[in-house]
Amino acid sequence: MNQFSRFAMLAAVSLAASIAAADSASAGGFAIREQSATAQGSSYAGAASGAGGPSSMFWNPATITTLPGWQNQWNASVIMPRSEIDPLPSTPTIPFGGSGDIAQDAIVPTSYLSYQLNERLWLGFASSTPFGLVTDPRQNWSGQVYSRSSRIFTANLNPIVGVKLNDWLSVAAGPMIEYFDVRLKNAAGIVPNDPSAILEGDDWGGGFTAGVTITPVAGTTLGIGYRSSIRHTLEGTLATPAGIFGPSALKFPVKTNLNTPDQVTVGLSQVITPALTLHAGFEWQNWSRAGDPAIVGPSGAPISHLPLNYDDGYFYALGADYRLNERWILRAGFAYEQSPIDTAVRSTRLPDSDRYWVSIGASYQYNEKLSFDVAYTHVFHKDADIRIVPGHQDYAGLPFVAEAETDVNLISAALRYRWDDPAKPFPAPIVRKN
């Protein structure tokens, strides 16, 4: 099997891994940050400047030019969230109780492939799940008219071409192909066991990634990466029980346009000593692009909407790597994330809030070709108020006032393998004195 055939085969394996994902949002909005076990160990500080190894391609494709030879990295993240919504006495339906734990555990796989053609040119392929959400409260609860279950699933495929222009500047870009699937369910009434209305739809869309890395002096790397918005025209159905749009239950075609946020990530890595490297990171997600898309029925007229109206999201991180010896690297990091969701728009489907990330991680170099990464993170969410009252975009005649408590544990692991033989340095010549 020639090298390009193997490259294509490994890209197909990456595709299969991404389609197998089960998703649960743990970044701002319904984004998924868990794209790299390596970068997670330092709370994603320096992810755009190459601190994540091959997986840094997700944030900045130009980091591919730092990877010699032919490499693969496979990541799997286990997301273990807990989120409960407790109604307050001013909620008329409080006798029906709280939500219980609405969050669902999930495994998110990602994979990355890089291939160096020559000293200037690289090819790569990334498969990821950039957005996702699964929330599932108790079937009968005080907020059931605003949500029963919610599911968002994505799979993103990203071929990459990277060019090392000179010793200090590299650029890269590539198209993104993304599948987006959504299913939202809520009760048609406040009484326990009332039937549900179900909205579902899916779409394939396209966008692009681009990035640059700058190495002004040895030991300093600045990376800037961009992921474009993708416009999805979601087509599907709305199923409603009797009494909503007529005396009988109905199911009819609908569609809506949803714009995912574009994203800019900046990373800075600085070698302090041969053992110690410090990292910093900043990310902006343009969630305000999502807006308030209308849901259009068969006649072409709006029949409802997806009430998002998020602000932009911001992420700030600091981290460090410490090389303990030839085989072990230890990591730690701290981050603060400003959620795009506040009390003005917070819903029972996604009671998101600002959060703090605290992470540790390690890498083990088994041999010159094979290495392993592990990371653990605890995400501390600030308590979130839910105020669905007149004037709130979700308000449907029932006041719902509650408090939500959320926290998340993340465990990630990665395997990294180099398919070619690393170049060995030539031995120094032996000089004999006569």
Side-chain angles (χ1 to χ4, degrees), residues 129-256:
T129 54
F131 305 101
L133 173 69
V134 179
T135 56
D136 190 12
R138 294 187 301 111
Q139 173 73 5
N140 298 309
W141 73 293
S142 60
Q144 65 184 28
V145 296
Y146 294 114
S147 65
R148 269 186 169 153
S149 63
S150 308
R151 179 182 182 272
I152 295 172
F153 167 81
T154 61
N156 185 290
L157 311 175
N158 181 204
I160 293 166
V161 177
V163 180
K164 188 173 184 179
L165 299 176
N166 52 46
D167 290 340
W168 61 273
L169 179 64
S170 294
V171 296
M176 291 191 296
I177 303 169
E178 184 172 273
Y179 176 72
F180 195 106
D181 179 81
V182 61
R183 187 177 191 270
L184 307 176
K185 180 179 177 182
N186 61 276
I190 64 173
V191 178
N193 298 317
D194 269 342
S196 296
I198 302 173
L199 172 69
E200 52 190 344
D202 64 350
D203 178 59
W204 286 91
F208 70 94
T209 61
V212 58
T213 59
I214 303 170
T215 308
V217 295
T220 301
T221 303
L222 173 66
I224 304 172
Y226 176 75
R227 296 178 65 87
S228 76
S229 172
I230 295 179
R231 183 177 179 86
H232 287 285
T233 300
L234 300 169
E235 297 186 354
T237 60
L238 175 62
T240 61
I244 302 299
F245 290 107
S248 302
L250 296 174
K251 186 174 183 179
F252 49 89
V254 294
K255 68 178 181 179
T256 188

Side-chain angles (χ1 to χ4, degrees), residues 74-362:
W74 297 274
N75 299 267
S77 298
V78 182
I79 305 176
M80 297 171 287
R82 180 195 64 85
S83 185
E84 296 184 2
I85 302 173
D86 295 316
L88 298 178
S90 57
T91 299
T93 53
I94 192 172
F96 300 141
S99 66
D101 186 1
I102 70 172
Q104 302 292 300
D105 295 350
I107 299 176
V108 178
T110 61
S111 63
Y112 306 90
L113 174 64
S114 70
Y115 181 74
Q116 182 179 8
L117 288 171
N118 53 48
E119 292 183 354
R120 297 294 183 188
L121 185 63
W122 278 256
L123 299 178
F125 185 84
S127 64
S128 61
T129 54
F131 305 101
L133 173 69
V134 179
T135 56
D136 190 12
R138 294 187 301 111
Q139 173 73 5
N140 298 309
W141 73 293
S142 60
Q144 65 184 28
V145 296
Y146 294 114
S147 65
R148 269 186 169 153
S149 63
S150 308
R151 179 182 182 272
I152 295 172
F153 167 81
T154 61
N156 185 290
L157 311 175
N158 181 204
I160 293 166
V161 177
V163 180
K164 188 173 184 179
L165 299 176
N166 52 46
D167 290 340
W168 61 273
L169 179 64
S170 294
V171 296
M176 291 191 296
I177 303 169
E178 184 172 273
Y179 176 72
F180 195 106
D181 179 81
V182 61
R183 187 177 191 270
L184 307 176
K185 180 179 177 182
N186 61 276
I190 64 173
V191 178
N193 298 317
D194 269 342
S196 296
I198 302 173
L199 172 69
E200 52 190 344
D202 64 350
D203 178 59
W204 286 91
F208 70 94
T209 61
V212 58
T213 59
I214 303 170
T215 308
V217 295
T220 301
T221 303
L222 173 66
I224 304 172
Y226 176 75
R227 296 178 65 87
S228 76
S229 172
I230 295 179
R231 183 177 179 86
H232 287 285
T233 300
L234 300 169
E235 297 186 354
T237 60
L238 175 62
T240 61
I244 302 299
F245 290 107
S248 302
L250 296 174
K251 186 174 183 179
F252 49 89
V254 294
K255 68 178 181 179
T256 188
N257 294 316
L258 176 65
N259 296 317
T260 63
D262 44 349
Q263 173 180 312
V264 174
T265 308
V266 180
L268 177 64
S269 297
Q270 177 64 57
V271 175
I272 304 301
T273 71
L276 178 64
T277 302
L278 301 182
H279 306 287
F282 168 78
E283 184 176 285
W284 166 71
Q285 286 190 320
N286 188 16
W287 277 106
S288 56
R289 181 185 288 273
D292 184 29
I295 299 173
V296 178
S299 67
I303 59 173
S304 187
H305 64 125
L306 289 177
L308 300 176
N309 289 314
Y310 296 164
D311 295 327
D312 291 346
Y314 299 90
F315 185 81
Y316 314 86
L318 294 172
D321 296 349
Y322 183 77
R323 179 172 290 279
L324 193 62
N325 53 43
E326 291 184 357
R327 292 193 179 273
W328 286 97
I329 297 175
L330 305 181
R331 298 184 179 87
F334 174 81
Y336 173 71
E337 183 165 12
Q338 184 178 338
S339 171
I341 296 173
D342 58 19
T343 305
V345 299
R346 187 172 292 117
S347 71
T348 59
R349 294 193 186 278
L350 183 54
D352 195 29
S353 62
D354 296 351
R355 70 205 73 180
Y356 300 94
W357 298 64
V358 179
S359 306
I360 56 174

